Amino acid sequence: MSAARPQHAALLQFPVQDDCLAVGGVPLTRLAQRVGQTPFFAYDRAAMTRRVAELREHLPPSVHLHYAMKANPMPAVVQHMARLVDGIDVASGGELRTALDTAMPAQNISFAGPGKRDAELSCAVAAGIVLNLESEGEMERAAAIGAQLGIQPRVAVRVNPDFELKSSGMRMGGGPKQFGVDAERVPAMLKRLAALELDFNGFHIFSGSQNLKAAAIQEAHDKTFALGLRLAEEAPRAPRIMNIGGGFGIPYFPGEERLDLQAVGQHLHGLMDRHAPQLRESQVVIELGRYLVGEAGVYVASVVDRKESRGQVYLVTDGGLHHQLAASGNFGQVIRKNYPVLIGNKVVGAGRETVSVVGPLCTPLDLLADQMELARAEPGDLVVVLQSGAYGRSASPAAFLSHPEAVEVLI
Amino acid sequence: MSAARPQHAALLQFPVQDDCLAVGGVPLTRLAQRVGQTPFFAYDRAAMTRRVAELREHLPPSVHLHYAMKANPMPAVVQHMARLVDGIDVASGGELRTALDTAMPAQNISFAGPGKRDAELSCAVAAGIVLNLESEGEMERAAAIGAQLGIQPRVAVRVNPDFELKSSGMRMGGGPKQFGVDAERVPAMLKRLAALELDFNGFHIFSGSQNLKAAAIQEAHDKTFALGLRLAEEAPRAPRIMNIGGGFGIPYFPGEERLDLQAVGQHLHGLMDRHAPQLRESQVVIELGRYLVGEAGVYVASVVDRKESRGQVYLVTDGGLHHQLAASGNFGQVIRKNYPVLIGNKVVGAGRETVSVVGPLCTPLDLLADQMELARAEPGDLVVVLQSGAYGRSASPAAFLSHPEAVEVLI
């Protein structure tokens, strides 16, 4: 008995009309005409709205939802998200400028990231947003800058937890880390903080990201609440904000199953109920990036050449790792897996074949699909990489080999 | 007996004056002032000139040297290289524009890369450069575009060899590949080529890159000459160009030893002598990118914060994977190794310590040095990543988290 080959999770966010994928209600062939070039990224406004609604349905109503704009900093996307969520988290001075261009009140914008430069701290203090302090040194610099500007900085303490989010794509807590202040050192830091001209706002506890296991997230939530409440007792005043991080993952690769959001939500309901008395003055915040926008986006490239080499068919496209690095396997992952890929204007197609989809770069790493079954495609057809709404364009080496940039549209 | 820990190869391209590294003769602290910001990349003009001279010394004088500008497309670098080498190889329409801005004659510029768009083919034909044809389909498109423009396209055939360059960082030949035309199909293609309005210029045979083993390169040269000469017999006329590729590597990681250029050169002398009669009308070309510029560049960032977490010291800098992705480990390589890193203004320093150097991004992957012994550094000190002259800035996700771009200077 042979095991069934792992499949990609069902992805139903985009309807198919006449065998053509529609994004934002526009058939892809028409969308390509409207954009005027391939490659492009298209993000579906309604898909983002639906995702936020789904979260609101499952999460306790008193939990606030923040958008971590590092996942997709396209200004139009940030503007759209700003109308849907309760706050925005930024990771640089550049992101801060984009966030401040939205109608989001400054006190609902927070800035996390190690190595904030003085110029960034200064802008953040002037804007009145919440600085998530990453170290004792940053706290001192923020206080000095506040004194210079005559503005009391709003600050929260980013905590490096004493646990980690298990089975995570990326572990952000537990053990030594560059992020935040070790949980065991936070009480001493809070004493010093109280003595400085700083407006204490709360805690930011982030333990991992891209997690598909509800049980792991539930366990992390238990530990995050316990840690946050323990640290709150040492704080100069009740924390206004208790940011418990994010970490909700989306399925990318064959065999990955969708996160059970209902289970995560139910567990969080229980935690909120149990700790309601201690959290009277605190706003619990969940900060999500990829989970809000990742599934709402596609990357679209045109087939430029169709060629065979020693029995294998290659579709050579005008798009590749310079725009969608993660889908290519990040410059040579040891175990590379395919993102979900299809021929956008021939979803089922007249015939199927096993092909590799490559980009125009002079490197074998420029691979968008390795030996996948797709509809038979010819030059001019549109290759679509799904799950491309987060960490796509902005996380790729756009200048590599000096090809044209990918356009982004929000529909 | 315990084995000695592997060390980085000796890197002597930059002198140290008063414990400060000098690039292009300028001490790094002064250079940082002159540039006006960190992070920056600095490339040393004289180091590139020396590297070309070294190659000329070891390679047969009749072998031409081309610069593969994908390694470093900074216009000033390309201008400098254009005065030193015999030709430039480009990988996109964007690179072609930069190359055409130099004084290099068009017929010494060649354009390789799968998936060339019609617009790129058209520019290339109009410019009169040599198109390295990657497929039969591209040949037909080039001929059609030539007919439209009334210009006979200069073409060479890129061959997917029937062997590979062993022990390579990247294999570009052998087995099915997106590059070039399978060697066994080239004779049929040449027949068709002769019937089209195309000016046949020769062959491009590239079997791998970033190789540190002279024996592997010697073996590849043997096979490349044999293949090229065999295919030449099928050509419509004697190949004007026999591009045998590059593949010369530079040492990046502990334990890597420098390529024995003398051994490669001697072997090539033998091959050229042996095949002189057959090569009377052909120009043998070696195409190098990384080997010409990789060691001539440094990436420089400032320490913004110095922090400890659970017994480990972190230097947090204003630079990171968004500028120098390869040094960080390309978004999570399974076995990550350190590039050579030092404190540029304290090369030896007053004291030494084991630290990790991280960047400002909110990801644990933003790591420039993992537990390395460096001079003790404080905020304001300059972290230098050596071997950063190739595939640094242009191969990194500059927009990731919207931090400022790195400046580039050629000194």
Side-chain angles (χ1 to χ4, degrees), chain B residues 247-286:
Chain B
F248 298 11
I250 63 173
Y252 284 105
F253 304 116
E256 287 187 345
E257 282 174 34
R258 204 165 273 289
L259 175 66
D260 183 349
L261 186 58
Q262 197 176 1
V264 171
Q266 271 177 358
H267 188 80
L268 204 53
H269 272 280
L271 275 170
M272 291 296 286
D273 291 347
R274 204 167 323 137
H275 297 295
Q278 296 140 284
L279 290 168
R280 255 194 319 268
E281 297 175 64
S282 302
Q283 181 61 60
V284 173
V285 170
I286 286 189

Side-chain angles (χ1 to χ4, degrees), chain A residues 92 134-135 305 307 401, chain B residues 92 134-135 305 307 310 401:
Chain A
S92 69
E134 302 274 351
S135 73
D305 199 5
K307 59 187 283 192
L401 304 203
Chain B
S92 69
E134 302 274 351
S135 73
D305 198 6
K307 59 187 284 192
R310 301 189 177 124
L401 304 202

Side-chain angles (χ1 to χ4, degrees), chain A residues 268-289:
Chain A
L268 204 52
H269 271 280
L271 275 169
M272 292 296 287
D273 291 348
R274 204 169 323 138
H275 297 295
Q278 297 141 284
L279 290 168
R280 255 194 320 268
E281 295 176 68
S282 303
Q283 182 61 60
V284 173
V285 170
I286 286 189
E287 170 183 330
L288 297 170

Side-chain angles (χ1 to χ4, degrees), chain A residues 70 73 91-95 112-117 120 134-135 137-138 141 158 160-162 170-172 174-185 304-305 307-310 312 314 316-318 325 330-334 358-366 391 394-404, chain B residues 70 73 91-95 112-117 120 134-135 137-138 141 158 160-162 170-172 174-185 304-305 307-310 312 314 316-318 325 330-334 358-366 391 394-404:
Chain A
K70 65 169 79 66
S92 69
E95 287 193 0
K116 295 183 197 80
R117 289 166 289 123
E120 291 178 307
E134 302 274 351
S135 73
E138 193 170 283
R141 285 194 293 135
R158 181 165 182 183
N160 176 23
D162 40 15
M170 208 170 280
R171 290 171 191 167
M172 312 270 291
K177 282 282 175 318
Q178 69 256 51
F179 305 110
V181 177
D182 297 342
E184 56 275 22
R185 284 224 310 267
V304 172
D305 199 5
K307 59 187 283 192
E308 286 188 44
S309 170
R310 298 183 181 131
Q312 287 189 23
Y314 289 88
V316 188
T317 72
D318 56 5
L325 182 64
N330 285 326
F331 278 124
Q333 266 161 4
V334 173
V358 301
L361 307 188
C362 277
T363 161
L365 304 176
D366 192 14
Y391 302 112
S394 70
S396 299
F400 194 42
L401 304 203
S402 308
H403 280 279
Chain B
K70 64 170 79 68
S92 69
E95 287 193 1
K116 295 183 196 81
R117 289 167 289 122
E120 292 178 307
E134 302 274 351
S135 73
E138 194 171 282
R141 286 195 293 135
R158 181 164 181 184
N160 177 23
D162 40 14
M170 207 169 281
R171 289 171 191 169
M172 312 271 290
K177 282 283 175 317
Q178 69 256 51
F179 305 109
V181 177
D182 298 343
E184 55 275 23
R185 284 225 309 268
V304 172
D305 198 6
K307 59 187 284 192
E308 285 188 45
S309 170
R310 301 189 177 124
Q312 287 190 24
Y314 289 87
V316 188
T317 72
D318 56 5
L325 182 63
N330 286 326
F331 278 123
Q333 265 161 4
V334 174
V358 301
L361 307 188
C362 277
T363 162
L365 304 176
D366 192 15
Y391 301 112
S394 71
S396 299
F400 195 40
L401 304 202
S402 307
H403 281 278

Side-chain angles (χ1 to χ4, degrees), chain B residues 135-147:
Chain B
S135 73
E136 291 91 342
E138 194 171 282
M139 172 175 68
E140 300 290 340
R141 286 195 293 135
I145 285 167

Side-chain angles (χ1 to χ4, degrees), chain B residues 103-175:
Chain B
M104 184 63 69
Q107 68 267 26
N108 297 341
I109 298 176
S110 60
F111 182 179
K116 295 183 196 81
R117 289 167 289 122
D118 283 352
E120 292 178 307
L121 292 174
S122 183
C123 294
V125 171
I129 63 115
V130 178
L131 277 171
N132 291 329
L133 300 174
E134 302 274 351
S135 73
E136 291 91 342
E138 194 171 282
M139 172 175 68
E140 300 290 340
R141 286 195 293 135
I145 285 167
Q148 273 166 32
L149 298 179
I151 304 164
Q152 195 180 38
R154 284 197 171 107
V155 298
V157 175
R158 181 164 181 184
V159 182
N160 177 23
D162 40 14
F163 58 88
E164 64 180 24
L165 175 51
K166 288 173 188 162
S167 343
S168 253
M170 207 169 281
R171 289 171 191 169
M172 312 271 290

